[in-house]
Amino acid sequence: MNTHQLVDPFGRRITYLRLSVTDRCDFRCTYCMSEDMQFAPRAQILSLEELYAVADAFIGLGVQRIRITGGEPLVRKNLLSLLQRLGQREELDDLAITTNGSQLVEMAAPLRAAGVRRLNISLDSLQRERFAAFTRRDKLDQVLAGIDAARAAGFERIKLNSVVQSGRNDDEVLDLVEFAIARGLDISFIEEMPLGSVVSHSREQTFCSSDEVRQRIEQRHALVRSSKVTGGPSRYWQVVGTQTQVGFISPHSHNFCGDCNRVRVTAEGKLVLCLGHDNALDLKRLLRAHPGDGERLRQALIEALRLKPERHHFATDEQVQVVRFMSITGG
Ligand code: SAM
Ligand code: SF4
């Protein structure tokens, strides 16, 4: 089988797949979903077998890193059986999950045993009422217990993800950094992206740039640029004298498309070539028309890569609201 065939017209090699396993979630974060979010009918969601077939095709074409996401991936029934299969694939350098942390008390150890190496856990506030306002669920204690369970389970790295909003949690940036340092975790601060329309707040008013966040941290800690490159929107800095790296995910204020190495597959089997564009290839149709035909699937992926856009336009006048929600695309 030929590997490393996933190269787009701009010479970027695709080595990283973000695979969404569900659009459902037990939280309703205000920047991500409405309270009465309509989820896709179950029949529209890829089966675990189909998800594995997609991952297998990408691995066959040179993908070395897979991140499982959602929705909330840990609400997907029997997810462990998929992870166990992926965990055995030696071609993968990394198998990671992004989670809201609500199920980690029970799931952390089994995830690690299945071969998951790294976890990203979302945490926007350490204050109970604020956390409940962000997520529309009063579950901070459960998530904090989940973070402890993840630390005990021995993952290679655990990173917190915090969306920062001006006037809502920007005053907690230093508290979140201290929380991460005290536990030897990394933390990324995320600029909110215009994905899906939200009713709870005005994104222009709550926008907080990564530069502002970094300045807040530098009031207390020295940061040095880290050599870590992800081929994604994160830029990393080491907090001097600690084990903690701080990342900034800045789709607005910094363009990161030039070295983009990733594509996404939604829970409904849409191959999304760029988070900022709506063009997508329907892999589910192909999978269901030709079950078990891995070669056809690989060819379709190679051809689809020709359509990968050069860049997103989140920060320019050309920007149109992208209608998909992050929970659908897979964060
Ligand atoms: N449910 C899991 C979680 O919350 O970690 C995984 C999926 S979630 C869509 C992945 C990440 O996307 C989370 O860290 C979340 O904070 C972030 N996210 C969701 N909507 C966003 C938006 N509009 N802008 C920026 N980040 C967003
Ligand atoms: Fe669920 Fe994650 Fe979206 Fe929050 S950000 S609603 S936890 S999918």
Side-chain angles (χ1 to χ4, degrees), residues 16 18 65-74 94-102 104 111 116-123 143 146-147 150 155-162 185-188 190 228 230 234 236 249 262 331:
Y16 181 19
R18 294 175 78 104
R65 296 173 60 196
I66 296 183
R67 176 171 293 281
I68 303 292
T69 180
E72 173 46 40
L74 301 188
D94 194 17
L95 180 60
I97 292 193
T98 301
T99 171
N100 65 24
S102 70
L104 282 176
L111 289 174
V116 174
R117 297 186 185 195
R118 293 187 308 127
L119 281 188
N120 284 1
I121 307 173
S122 298
L123 181 67
V143 170
I147 293 173
F155 289 94
E156 288 174 13
R157 282 311 288 173
I158 300 173
K159 180 163 76 75
L160 304 175
N161 276 342
S162 306
L185 313 178
D186 295 331
I187 182 163
S188 279
I190 307 177
K228 181 162 148 185
T230 61
S234 279
Y236 286 93
I249 304 184
R262 61 197 56 198

Side-chain angles (χ1 to χ4, degrees), residues 13-225:
R13 231 182 73 193
I14 303 306
T15 54
Y16 181 19
L17 168 67
R18 294 175 78 104
L19 183 60
S20 172
V21 295
T22 180
D23 62 340
R24 288 159 202 260
C25 188
D26 52 343
F27 287 5
R28 294 287 183 280
C29 302
T30 51
Y31 49 71
C32 179
M33 291 186 188
S34 60
E35 179 62 84
D36 58 353
M37 183 82 178
Q38 297 297 308
F39 298 110
R42 280 183 207 282
Q44 300 301 322
I45 299 296
L46 293 189
S47 67
L48 292 172
E49 198 53 47
E50 289 166 337
L51 286 165
Y52 184 76
V54 169
D56 179 58
F58 274 103
I59 293 169
L61 292 170
V63 159
Q64 293 157 333
R65 296 173 60 196
I66 296 183
R67 176 171 293 281
I68 303 292
T69 180
E72 173 46 40
L74 301 188
V75 304
R76 174 79 199 240
K77 274 210 186 95
N78 297 326
L79 178 71
L80 280 174
S81 64
L82 173 69
L83 295 172
Q84 281 156 356
R85 290 178 82 182
L86 292 177
Q88 285 169 12
R89 295 297 299 256
E90 287 175 0
E91 304 95 318
L92 288 182
D93 294 340
D94 194 17
L95 180 60
I97 292 193
T98 301
T99 171
N100 65 24
S102 70
Q103 320 284 315
L104 282 176
V105 169
E106 307 82 42
M107 291 288 283
L111 289 174
R112 185 69 188 109
V116 174
R117 297 186 185 195
R118 293 187 308 127
L119 281 188
N120 284 1
I121 307 173
S122 298
L123 181 67
D124 301 326
S125 176
L126 292 163
Q127 299 176 21
R128 181 176 164 190
E129 280 169 19
R130 276 192 189 178
F131 181 93
F134 265 97
T135 60
R136 300 196 183 97
R137 298 292 182 268
D138 184 9
K139 292 198 173 159
L140 176 63
D141 287 347
Q142 199 172 314
V143 170
L144 295 181
I147 293 173
D148 285 341
R151 290 170 59 215
F155 289 94
E156 288 174 13
R157 282 311 288 173
I158 300 173
K159 180 163 76 75
L160 304 175
N161 276 342
S162 306
V163 173
V164 185
Q165 292 180 345
S166 181
R168 295 192 153 199
N169 67 342
D170 56 335
D171 58 343
E172 273 194 79
V173 163
L174 278 171
D175 291 347
L176 286 161
V177 170
E178 299 309 335
F179 179 90
I181 290 173
R183 289 161 186 76
L185 313 178
D186 295 331
I187 182 163
S188 279
F189 293 100
I190 307 177
E191 289 176 357
E192 185 175 351
M193 285 178 259
L195 298 172
S197 64
V198 293
V199 289
S200 59
H201 59 286
S202 146
R203 281 176 163 142
E204 290 76 45
Q205 280 167 19
T206 57
F207 178 70
C208 183
S209 76
S210 291
D211 291 343
E212 283 172 73
V213 175
R214 206 182 71 228
Q215 281 156 18
R216 277 181 186 267
I217 299 171
E218 284 177 329
Q219 285 168 8
R220 191 179 298 165
H221 292 285
L223 298 178
V224 289
R225 199 64 190 255

Side-chain angles (χ1 to χ4, degrees), residues 256-267:
F256 50 79
C257 304
D259 52 2
C260 179
N261 62 354
R262 61 197 56 198
V263 291
R264 295 173 160 77
V265 174
T266 71

Side-chain angles (χ1 to χ4, degrees), residues 266-282:
T266 71
E268 291 187 79
K270 296 262 174 11
L271 171 66
V272 178
L273 297 160
C274 169
L275 200 50
H277 288 258
D278 259 346
N279 58 355
L281 173 73
D282 188 353

